[in-house]
Amino acid sequence: MTEHANDYIKPELMACCGAREILDHNLVLVGTGFPTMSANIARYTHAPNARLMQESGVYDAQPKRPALSVGDPCLNPGAAMIGGLVEIMGQFLQAGWVDIGFLSGSQVDKFGNINTTVIGDYEHPKSRLPGSGGANPIGSLAKKILIIALHDTRRLTEKVDFITTPGYIDGPGAREKVGLPPNTGPEVIITNKAVLRFDKSTGEAYLATYHPDTTVDEVVKNTPWKLNVADDVHETEPPRVEEIRALHEILDPNRMIRLYLTRGYV
Amino acid sequence: MSKVTTMKKAIADHVRDGDFLFIGGYICRTPFAAIHEIIRQGKKDLTITRSNAADDFDMLIGAGMVKRFIATFLSLGFHGLGRCYRRSLEQGIPRKIEVEEYTNLSLPMMLLAGSLGMPFVPVRDMAGSDLMNVKSFLGDNKYKVIDSPFDGRPTVLVPALRPDLAIIHVQQADENGNAQIWGIGGDCQVGANASQKVIVCCERLVDREVIGKDPSRTIVPDFKVVAVVEEPFGAHPGYTPGFYDVDFTFGNLYKEASGTVDGFQKFLEEWVLGIPNRTKYIEHYIQKMGYAAYKNLQAKFDFGYPVSYSY
């Protein structure tokens, strides 16, 4: 029987949810924070042959501490290969080698479209955000996209102010119509309250599992679109003992992931 | 003939108002010594580009040097949003810059195309996003969509970029400009080679013979280089593998200072305008932050097997 851990915080549960989406031998293009944690948890548990890469040019880094950016110095020593953006984003991602891309967004809508460009009007922004960076190509070209988001009615939205990164755009078939590779797109939105999956027949996210300290009603209430609920909706599996052990003993002994508590991931 | 010169002369001789600059770096090897000198000399109306811009671009924008930005992203990474960038676009302070937005795939590909002498390049991203719906100074030349002449699939074409000048920071170079790096590359190699000419800033000048001991590390050959400047600690607060680590404390200091117009101006006075060159910058850093802070940034050594090319 699977044993579960008790001593975990919400960002660690979210990281474990991400890890479970990764299969052995997957190539995973990661950013910082949860994505790296997730991919590494997978490597230390069920997917030892999964490999990570960072858009800045790094393949199979062996960092001694959690990376704080995709350009972090700790990604250099021990990597199997270091090139640049053309290698990772061009030769590996665009050429179709990347199985999983991880993204997060200031705004995410029901089709899994992500906004990291602007809140408000583009020409007269209320709040100007960083822009695409690697998000648009990762969301366009990785075979499966995992999205990390805060679960409230501001971050999740019926329609994003700006589609920086296309999810299912406005419904099924829309990606293929504009020339994006077939059978790609968001797989899951992992929030601090729930795991949402996508109904491929509508392109819309629905509630698959809710986290241990919440309820279906609370998740639905905090989602600004009419959230469909899976027939087999159930509680999210808590972190397994071996997942938490990998995090606490190897990947993040200083619990740097606590930083996300201050960013609302509670 | 040696191209070794001072940063002051390199910037004065090769950066003109209104130039289009590629500025290399990816937290790794940011050419900060050159950024500071551009601000000191008040070069204006610049167009700047690089994928994943950070504190250096934020500073140039805040100092009012920039007219246009061919962008993918700008943030202070761990330290959050670029405060000067936000002020520029949200409030027009000190001016509203014009931004043409691409991605970390399409922009490196545009630089690659420029480096290859190609007129444009097809890319597989951007389609279906609002990046297709916003156009700035490139207008209809931001991109074109065609049906591929080979398989009929809709295909996005983006134009090649050929900046007037690239400024890059590298680990070592010889006096003619053969420039060698190791560690995270970003778009430095394609950006430098897309440009008409290159200023190379390096941690250490080495003999041509040293370059020849490991020529596979060279990313820019000397014939593209117009000036070589030896600037130890020149990428600070970014890092240079094998030399020094990223400076999070200083990053936080910049974040805090740039939070207000006044704080940003004081930061510029203290760290840029009131400092004549990089040597004085290091002296000021040690005086202000302490020698221990400086010493703690210095890289440890962990050498691999030396390579041999002999036959």
Side-chain angles (χ1 to χ4, degrees):
Chain A
M1 209 185 86
T2 312
E3 283 184 73
H4 294 104
N6 296 315
D7 55 334
Y8 65 89
I9 55 174
K10 192 58 68 58
E12 291 173 333
L13 171 65
M14 294 172 69
C16 293
C17 291
R20 294 165 193 166
E21 302 295 320
I22 296 168
L23 305 178
D24 203 12
H25 297 282
N26 273 176
L27 288 175
V28 189
L29 184 40
V30 298
T32 49
F34 296 112
T36 327
M37 300 276 184
S38 290
N40 277 320
I41 292 168
R43 285 190 64 174
Y44 279 98
T45 54
H46 63 279
N49 300 298
R51 291 289 178 270
L52 281 65
M53 56 181 94
Q54 279 85 4
E55 62 182 45
S56 53
V58 187
Y59 171 68
D60 199 16
Q62 308 286 322
K64 299 268 194 292
R65 59 169 172 80
L68 297 175
S69 79
V70 290
D72 194 303
C74 74
L75 299 170
N76 285 303
M81 173 184 170
I82 300 183
L85 287 154
V86 169
E87 286 86 347
I88 302 293
M89 302 303 271
Q91 293 178 341
F92 303 156
L93 176 67
Q94 183 168 248
W97 290 93
V98 173
D99 297 300
I100 295 195
F102 261 103
L103 296 172
S104 57
S106 304
Q107 261 190 341
V108 181
D109 72 19
K110 64 179 176 184
F111 292 116
N113 301 309
I114 302 175
N115 175 16
T116 51
T117 300
V118 68
I119 302 296
D121 175 53
Y122 181 79
E123 296 297 337
H124 306 93
K126 198 167 123 215
S127 188
R128 174 64 212 204
L129 307 172
S132 162
N136 173 286
I138 292 169
S140 300
L141 298 163
K143 289 173 196 157
K144 263 197 221 178
I145 306 302
L146 314 182
I147 303 169
I148 305 279
L150 272 172
H151 206 132
D152 61 43
T153 51
R154 202 161 53 92
R155 318 299 172 101
L156 297 183
T157 177
E158 176 92 27
K159 191 173 185 301
V160 289
D161 292 0
F162 188 97
I163 300 181
T164 311
T165 303
Y168 293 104
I169 307 175
D170 58 7
R175 289 175 67 91
E176 289 76 8
K177 204 172 127 202
V178 295
L180 296 177
N183 305 315
T184 58
E187 183 73 14
V188 66
I189 304 176
I190 300 164
T191 77
N192 50 322
K193 293 189 188 298
V195 174
L196 311 184
R197 293 188 177 276
F198 286 87
D199 179 344
K200 298 287 164 68
S201 70
T202 62
E204 280 190 35
Y206 66 87
L207 176 59
T209 72
Y210 51 92
H211 295 340
D213 57 350
T214 186
T215 62
V216 171
D217 283 351
E218 192 192 332
V219 173
V220 169
K221 207 171 67 192
N222 282 281
T223 307
W225 66 84
K226 197 186 159 306
L227 184 67
N228 290 320
V229 178
D231 294 339
D232 64 343
V233 69
H234 56 277
E235 193 175 89
T236 308
E237 183 188 350
R240 298 170 196 163
V241 167
E242 65 269 26
E243 291 170 336
I244 285 296
R245 192 180 299 142
L247 264 175
H248 292 183
E249 290 176 17
I250 304 164
L251 300 170
D252 188 21
N254 296 319
R255 310 279 303 266
M256 283 167 72
I257 200 168
R258 282 197 191 112
L259 177 72
Y260 288 93
L261 295 174
T262 64
R263 295 182 182 178
Y265 290 89
V266 290
Chain B
M1 201 191 69
S2 169
K3 297 168 190 166
V4 176
T5 184
T6 61
M7 189 62 84
K8 192 170 179 177
K9 190 162 187 314
I11 299 299
D13 288 354
H14 299 293
V15 180
R16 295 161 303 174
D17 290 347
D19 264 356
F20 175 20
L21 307 184
F22 170 81
I23 297 167
Y26 202 108
I27 311 172
C28 190
R29 291 185 311 268
T30 312
F32 251 110
I35 300 287
H36 288 184
E37 188 56 36
I38 288 171
I39 295 171
R40 278 195 288 272
Q41 294 189 19
K43 300 291 184 183
K44 57 178 194 285
D45 295 332
L46 302 174
T47 297
I48 55 175
T49 195
R50 155 168 107 230
S51 307
N52 261 42
D55 44 3
D56 53 336
F57 277 53
D58 193 63
M59 193 181 291
L60 279 175
I61 291 165
M65 308 292 116
V66 179
K67 182 180 183 193
R68 293 171 165 174
F69 175 27
I70 301 181
T72 72
F73 183 88
L74 194 158
S75 94
L76 307 183
F78 183 72
H79 304 291
L81 300 171
R83 273 68 173 173
C84 294
Y85 188 46
R86 286 191 66 177
R87 270 198 298 276
S88 168
L89 295 184
E90 293 169 16
Q91 303 170 54
I93 300 171
R95 69 193 288 186
K96 182 152 180 163
I97 64 165
E98 301 166 46
V99 183
E100 200 70 88
E101 300 207 46
Y102 293 97
T103 74
N104 282 3
L105 171 63
S106 51
L107 182 60
M109 293 297 283
M110 291 158 71
L111 292 165
L112 176 67
S115 77
L116 294 173
M118 286 160 44
F120 57 82
V121 62
V123 291
R124 285 268 177 246
D125 65 345
M126 299 214 298
S129 77
D130 280 325
L131 294 170
M132 307 292 274
N133 297 325
V134 291
K135 294 175 180 175
S136 179
F137 52 91
L138 291 180
D140 286 341
N141 287 332
K142 179 180 178 183
Y143 68 88
K144 308 278 179 186
V145 180
I146 61 160
D147 293 332
S148 165
F150 296 99
D151 62 11
R153 191 172 155 188
T155 301
V156 179
L157 306 178
V158 285
L161 294 181
R162 289 193 186 77
D164 298 309
L165 173 71
I167 302 174
I168 62 172
H169 187 84
V170 304
Q171 274 95 342
Q172 60 187 22
D174 68 22
E175 61 176 16
N176 286 317
N178 291 303
Q180 299 195 318
I181 68 163
W182 48 98
I184 284 169
D187 54 6
C188 195
Q189 198 269 351
V190 287
N193 285 287
S195 301
Q196 314 286 336
K197 50 190 183 177
V198 182
I199 293 178
V200 170
C201 321
C202 60
E203 288 295 322
R204 64 181 177 218
L205 270 173
V206 296
D207 288 342
R208 170 64 182 76
E209 192 190 344
V210 174
I211 298 290
K213 292 291 184 189
D214 196 0
S216 298
R217 283 196 209 286
T218 305
I219 59 159
V220 187
D222 58 6
F223 66 85
K224 295 200 172 179
V225 177
V226 292
V228 179
V229 184
E230 190 181 41
E231 291 282 35
F233 208 51
H236 176 268
Y239 73 101
T240 303
F243 289 83
Y244 44 89
D245 199 356
V246 69
D247 191 343
F248 284 107
T249 308
F250 198 89
N252 194 53
L253 187 139
Y254 178 73
K255 177 195 88 172
E256 294 295 328
S258 60
T260 63
V261 174
D262 194 42
F264 177 73
Q265 281 308 325
K266 286 196 176 111
F267 179 94
L268 273 193
E269 286 295 333
E270 178 176 356
W271 293 98
V272 181
L273 299 171
I275 302 262
N277 57 47
R278 204 65 179 173
T279 309
K280 293 289 177 196
Y281 176 90
I282 297 173
E283 283 175 20
H284 183 66
Y285 182 86
I286 291 171
Q287 195 180 38
K288 178 101 185 197
M289 315 293 278
Y291 182 70
Y294 178 71
K295 188 76 183 156
N296 281 341
L297 292 175
Q298 304 308 309
K300 298 180 198 70
F301 292 96
D302 179 22
F303 295 104
Y305 289 106
V307 296
S308 171
Y309 291 73
S310 206
Y311 58 90

